[in-house]
């Protein structure tokens, strides 16, 4: 194998991993500060300038906390569970493209760790593995609140995965590809020089469905039933402490980033923006900005909306989301048939 | 070389996980071993350049069907296999003819395929057989009838389950 290719891969994985992990830590800070702003308080602002060293302090604190494993817990599964939650959450970043091919150091470098022609499906496959972490944690803790959290989570994930996939089908029909790079490239250019050719304008229903389902898939407010603290103490991670709890936390935020990246690539044109054809290195900048938009939206929702009741959640998923998503697929397929 | 190493790793893991499915006393451990088997199979598919099948294997089997299995196990909260199962020990005898049939079938297929490579279907010899385009093309041309029949079968199963669930309620 080409030795330069190998070096390129290692460097790309290293850079992406470092940025990703740091970003996760700072999203938590962003969330706490923004929530503070929404709730008219300050939020953490004592560690470092503007509280910028807070993530570091949090990390150190997590490492030094006492680790407790309940006596009647299933030890093996209890320890494996956080790993099962984290690994798929971090692996998905490998197939996400954050820019076009650029010319660096005399080499053509693709701005993604790896490119597969079915990257969309790879992400879906990996994210569907993430639920097992939560389910295992809930079951192995031997605690009824944890078990309820795990059960709710698995039911919720199956229900909303359907509408999520159906919303994606619409985009796939329009782009004719399961490759995220190809899907993003299809959204290049503008209509009349003003409106960008993003899928959000051609498929507003699909976008809305996708956004709602993806928030449910990542267990965030208003769909954070698996850890509803007013009724389940802390849900599936009630018994977890120290770094094991932190791993669940990281996994949740990694899933949020993946979901935002997917929304960006599928509906907001990925890395496309003004002048990106001339300067391909602008791509990752636009991409990050769009992801940030979705992350702020997540936090904004958390500060604004109350939680669903469990039966409302199920009814909404099965009796509203899935029928609308099916109708959307039929509509998009018909449009695609007549337009192309 | 690389491929063989990966295949050996995946195959060993798959067989180990498959053994674990039947050996484990706790149903939840069995279910998770089965997920391991599916994951290893998906890896094998990807190595055979059938990425689409691999991804679908993960999404449908490991991701959706096994979640339902795990869900039911957790809902019933079965910690260990009931000892009442010992009553059904005679089933053990049944397993011998079944296993023998399966082994003979597999051996027959292996011998047939390795002795006469040309007997493989035309589709299987093309390198791009595993990508989504050729699978979609195949499903809507040569295999249209089985494909549509399967979808009707699934629809029947859905309607049937809804009716059964309704009857329980009354």
């Amino acid at each position: 194998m080409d030795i330069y290719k190998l070096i390129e891969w290692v460097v790309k994985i290293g850079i992406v991993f470092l940025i990703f992990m740091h970003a996760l830590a700072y999203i938590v800070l962003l969330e706490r500060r923004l929530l503070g702003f929404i709730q008219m308080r300050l939020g953490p602002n004592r560690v470092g300038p503007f509280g910028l060293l807070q993530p570091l302090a949090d990390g150190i604190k997590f490492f030094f906390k006492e680790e407790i494993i309940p006596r009647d817990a299933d030890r093996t599964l209890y320890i494996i569970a956080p790993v099962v939650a984290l690994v798929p959450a971090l692996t998905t970043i490998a197939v996400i493209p954050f820019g076009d091919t650029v010319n660096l150091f005399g080499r053509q470098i693709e701005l993604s760790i790896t490119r597969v022609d079915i990257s969309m499906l790879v992400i879906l496959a990996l994210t569907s593995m993430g639920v097992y972490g939560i389910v295992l944690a809930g079951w192995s803790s031997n605690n009824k609140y944890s078990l309820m959290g795990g059960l709710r989570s698995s039911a919720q994930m199956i229900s909303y995965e359907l509408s999520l996939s159906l919303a994606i089908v619409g985009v796939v029909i329009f782009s004719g590809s399961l490759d995220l790079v190809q899907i993003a490239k299809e959204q290049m250019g503008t209509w009349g020089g003003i409106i960008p050719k993003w899928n959000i304008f051609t498929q507003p229903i699909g976008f809305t469905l996708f956004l709602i389902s993806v928030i449910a898939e990542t267990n965030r407010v208003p769909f954070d039933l698996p850890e509803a603290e007013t009724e389940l103490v802390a849900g599936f991670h009630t018994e977890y402490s120290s770094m094991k709890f932190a791993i669940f936390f990281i996994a949740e935020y990694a899933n949020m980033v993946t979901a935002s990246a997917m929304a960006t690539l599928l509906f907001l044109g990925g890395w496309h923006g003004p002048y990106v054809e001339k300067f391909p290195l602008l791509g990752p900048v636009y991409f990050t900005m769009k992801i940030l938009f979705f992350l702020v939206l997540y936090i904004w929702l958390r500060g604004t909306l109350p939680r669903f009741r469990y039966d409302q959640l199920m009814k909404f998923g099965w009796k509203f989301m899935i029928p609308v998503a099916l109708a959307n697929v039929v509509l998009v397929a018909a449009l695609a048939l007549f337009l192309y | 070389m690389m491929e063989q190493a990966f295949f050996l790793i995946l195959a060993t893991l798959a067989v180990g996980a498959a053994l674990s499915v039947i050996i484990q006393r706790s149903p939840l451990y069995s279910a998770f071993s089965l997920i391991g088997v599916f994951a290893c199979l998906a890896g094998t598919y990807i190595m055979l350049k059938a990425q689409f099948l691999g991804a679908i294997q993960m999404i449908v089997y490991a991701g959706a069907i096994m979640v339902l299995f795990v869900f039911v196990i957790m809902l019933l909260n079965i910690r260990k296999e009931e000892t009442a199962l010992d009553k059904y020990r005679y089933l053990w005898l049944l397993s011998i003819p079944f296993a023998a049939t399966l082994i003979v079938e597999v051996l027959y297929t292996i011998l047939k395929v390795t002795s006469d490579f040309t007997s493989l279907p035309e589709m299987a010899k093309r390198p791009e057989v595993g990508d989504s385009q050729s699978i979609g093309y195949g499903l809507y041309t040569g295999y249209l009838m089985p494909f549509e029949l399967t979808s009707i079968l699934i629809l029947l199963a859905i309607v049937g389950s809804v009716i059964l669930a309704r009857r329980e309620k009354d």
Side-chain angles (χ1 to χ4, degrees):
Chain A
M1 194 197 300
D2 188 1
I3 186 81
Y4 292 107
K5 189 88 190 156
L6 202 67
I7 294 171
E8 185 190 318
W9 272 343
V10 173
V11 170
K12 272 200 288 196
I13 291 172
I15 292 175
V16 171
F17 185 72
L18 274 180
I19 294 179
F20 193 44
M21 290 311 270
H22 282 87
L24 292 181
Y26 277 94
I27 292 163
V28 180
L29 180 69
L30 177 75
E31 168 153 26
R32 294 175 67 183
R33 289 306 298 261
L34 261 181
L35 274 183
F37 174 72
I38 291 171
Q39 295 162 355
M40 290 189 146
R41 55 188 175 85
L42 289 172
N45 65 347
R46 289 302 151 118
V47 192
F50 309 108
L52 278 177
L53 293 177
Q54 184 70 35
L56 191 70
D58 284 345
I60 294 171
K61 191 179 152 190
F62 271 128
F63 270 113
F64 284 105
K65 282 275 177 184
E66 185 190 357
E67 192 174 310
I68 299 162
I69 299 181
R71 193 189 56 210
D72 290 331
D74 191 317
R75 281 188 76 95
T76 328
L77 292 183
Y78 183 87
I79 293 168
I80 291 175
V83 183
V84 176
L86 184 66
V87 169
L90 290 185
T91 317
T92 43
I93 204 79
V95 292
I96 289 176
F98 30 84
D100 212 349
T101 317
V102 291
N103 228 326
L104 272 185
F105 314 115
R107 288 179 57 82
Q108 292 284 328
I109 293 176
E110 278 185 349
L111 286 181
S112 61
I113 292 177
T114 180
R115 186 178 171 181
V116 263
D117 62 344
I118 48 154
S119 40
M120 194 61 252
L121 289 179
V122 172
I123 291 182
L124 282 181
L126 284 169
T127 46
S128 70
M129 290 296 100
V131 62
Y132 288 119
I134 294 175
V135 169
L136 270 179
W139 191 82
S140 65
S141 299
N142 199 17
N143 170 330
K144 53 175 168 277
Y145 296 120
S146 302
L147 186 67
M148 284 303 294
L151 279 173
R152 281 183 175 186
S153 161
S154 49
Q156 180 180 328
M157 291 248 188
I158 310 172
S159 312
Y160 282 85
E161 209 163 43
L162 292 172
S163 47
L164 179 77
S165 316
L166 287 171
I168 293 171
V169 166
V171 178
V172 172
I173 291 175
F174 255 59
S175 322
S177 173
L178 288 165
D179 184 1
L180 285 170
V181 179
Q182 193 56 38
I183 290 174
K185 277 188 180 158
E186 293 282 328
Q187 304 173 52
M188 212 157 57
T190 52
W191 287 298
I194 310 161
I195 309 169
K197 277 188 177 170
W198 294 347
N199 282 333
I200 183 173
F201 299 115
T202 50
Q203 307 198 30
I205 309 173
F207 176 70
T208 320
L209 288 168
F210 179 86
L211 200 62
I212 296 173
S213 321
V214 98
I215 293 171
E217 281 287 296
T218 41
N219 291 332
R220 294 282 301 183
V221 178
F223 302 100
D224 62 339
L225 272 298
E227 41 188 317
E229 67 266 13
T230 41
E231 36 195 308
L232 292 181
V233 189
F236 66 91
H237 58 63
T238 305
E239 300 287 358
Y240 280 86
S241 54
S242 178
M243 210 50 206
K244 290 204 182 64
F245 166 72
I247 288 177
F248 279 120
F249 214 69
I250 298 170
E252 183 182 321
Y253 282 86
N255 281 329
M256 270 167 67
V257 174
T258 314
S260 308
M262 244 160 78
T264 307
L265 284 164
L266 291 174
F267 292 101
L268 287 194
W271 59 84
H272 290 300
Y275 303 111
V276 83
E277 280 84 21
K278 253 187 233 163
F279 311 101
L281 273 178
L282 268 177
V285 179
Y286 287 128
F287 191 60
T288 318
M289 274 159 57
K290 287 172 188 173
I291 286 184
L292 212 57
F293 165 75
F294 280 107
L295 289 173
V296 171
L297 187 71
Y298 262 113
I299 298 165
W300 193 356
L301 283 177
R302 180 171 169 189
T304 315
L305 293 177
R307 187 179 297 125
F308 270 100
R309 215 172 56 214
Y310 189 63
D311 59 317
Q312 289 173 333
L313 172 96
M314 278 298 154
K315 207 172 262 177
F316 183 65
W318 286 96
K319 295 196 171 162
F320 180 75
M321 294 291 284
I322 294 175
V324 174
L326 279 170
N328 183 49
V329 169
V330 174
L331 182 74
V332 170
L335 279 179
L337 198 65
F338 290 121
L339 291 183
Y340 297 106
Chain B
M1 188 54 214
M2 201 67 170
E3 271 184 18
Q4 271 179 346
F6 271 115
F7 173 74
L8 276 178
I9 294 168
L10 282 172
T12 323
L13 280 175
V15 173
L19 277 176
S20 160
V21 173
I22 46 175
I23 289 171
Q24 295 286 354
R25 289 298 269 182
S26 159
L28 202 66
Y29 274 84
S30 292
F32 280 106
S33 309
L34 197 54
I35 296 167
V37 177
F38 287 144
C40 293
L41 281 183
T44 320
Y45 287 152
I46 291 167
M47 282 179 49
L48 291 169
K49 298 204 166 50
Q51 311 96 318
F52 185 76
L53 268 188
I56 291 297
Q57 165 98 356
M58 287 303 277
I59 293 172
V60 175
Y61 283 96
I65 292 177
M66 286 318 290
V67 170
L68 284 176
F69 271 56
V70 171
F71 189 73
V72 171
I73 293 170
M74 279 179 35
L75 205 61
L76 301 175
N77 207 2
I78 317 165
R79 290 274 153 177
K80 279 272 183 303
E81 221 169 87
E82 301 290 326
T83 40
L85 276 181
D86 286 344
K87 271 195 288 187
Y88 302 106
R89 284 204 90 87
Y90 62 88
L91 283 176
W92 192 81
L93 290 173
L94 268 182
S95 69
I96 296 170
F98 277 125
T101 323
L102 201 63
I103 288 169
V104 169
E105 270 178 16
V106 170
L107 280 180
Y108 176 75
T109 318
I110 290 173
L111 286 176
K112 199 180 163 206
V113 168
T114 45
S115 67
D116 182 17
F117 191 70
T118 49
S119 74
L120 281 174
E122 272 307 303
M123 284 277 284
K125 272 186 273 177
R126 296 211 309 270
E128 75 279 6
V129 69
D131 68 16
S132 40
Q133 199 173 1
S134 67
I135 286 180
Y137 185 75
L139 279 181
Y140 282 99
T141 51
Y143 302 94
L144 184 63
M145 194 64 183
F147 178 65
E148 294 293 342
L149 283 179
T150 316
S151 60
I152 291 174
L153 193 67
I154 292 171
L155 188 66
L156 281 177
I158 295 171
V159 173
S161 64
V162 168
I163 287 173
L164 282 176
R166 278 276 158 98
R167 191 184 291 164
E168 198 90 353
K169 226 177 184 179
D170 293 335

